[in-house]
């Protein structure tokens, strides 16, 4: 495992801070700039969006840019993932970004890493039942299965 970037030294589990989203890597990974601080890479807690090369991957990334790009939001760190990224919830303009993505059919509830997120599970079932977003496909491949086939395991 490599060293953890300096910008992560001040980010700890259960920490919350305001930040502006400055870069959207994909549907569930973002760089944010803390108010008066350094940039931090965030991995969205409890959510797994399609990979960029997957169906709906680019749509999820575009949607996140629309929802949060350049806006100030509230980041609540749940844990530090094994690759040194802050695994966090993100709220922008009062809305939970993870819930929005799942509700719109642009991400899965990542039950393996967030088994107690009953609201995410409920929103995923609603999106499935409504054939919203990626659920319009006959048998969408979850990103963790996609990664297992193409490169290896996912991350928390």
């Amino acid at each position: 495992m490599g060293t953890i970037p300096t910008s992560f030294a001040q980010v700890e589990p259960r920490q919350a801070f305001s930040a502006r989203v400055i870069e959207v890597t994909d549907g569930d990974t973002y760089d944010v700039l803390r108010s008066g601080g350094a940039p931090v890479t965030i991995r969205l807690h409890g959510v797994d969006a399609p990979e960029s090369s997957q169906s709906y991957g680019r749509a999820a990334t575009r949607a996140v840019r629309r929802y949060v790009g350049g806006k100030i939001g509230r980041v609540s760190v749940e844990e530090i993932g094994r690759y040194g990224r802050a695994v966090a919830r993100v709220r922008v303009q009062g809305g939970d970004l993870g819930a929005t993505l799942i509700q719109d059919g642009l991400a899965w509830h990542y039950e393996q890493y967030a088994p107690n997120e009953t609201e995410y599970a409920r929103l995923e079932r609603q999106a499935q039942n409504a054939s919203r977003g990626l659920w319009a496909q006959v048998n969408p491949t979850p990103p963790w299965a996609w990664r297992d086939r193409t490169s290896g395991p996912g991350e928390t």
Side-chain angles (χ1 to χ4, degrees), residues 11 24 27 34 45 86-87 94:
V11 178
V24 176
R34 295 175 67 165
H45 169 77
V87 178

Side-chain angles (χ1 to χ4, degrees), residues 29-90:
T29 306
Y30 327 111
D31 289 336
V32 301
L33 185 60
R34 295 175 67 165
S35 299
V40 178
T41 299
I42 301 296
R43 170 70 165 84
L44 201 56
H45 169 77
V47 174
D48 204 2
E51 298 297 326
S52 297
S53 55
Q54 264 187 283
S55 185
Y56 284 88
R58 288 189 184 99
T61 302
R62 282 192 306 268
V64 170
R65 286 183 179 132
R66 280 193 317 274
Y67 299 155
V68 301
K71 296 177 183 161
I72 302 274
R74 189 77 179 153
V75 176
S76 301
V77 180
E78 295 288 326
E79 64 182 306
I80 304 301
R82 65 177 171 224
Y83 297 113
R85 295 185 288 194
V87 178
R89 299 172 191 276
V90 177

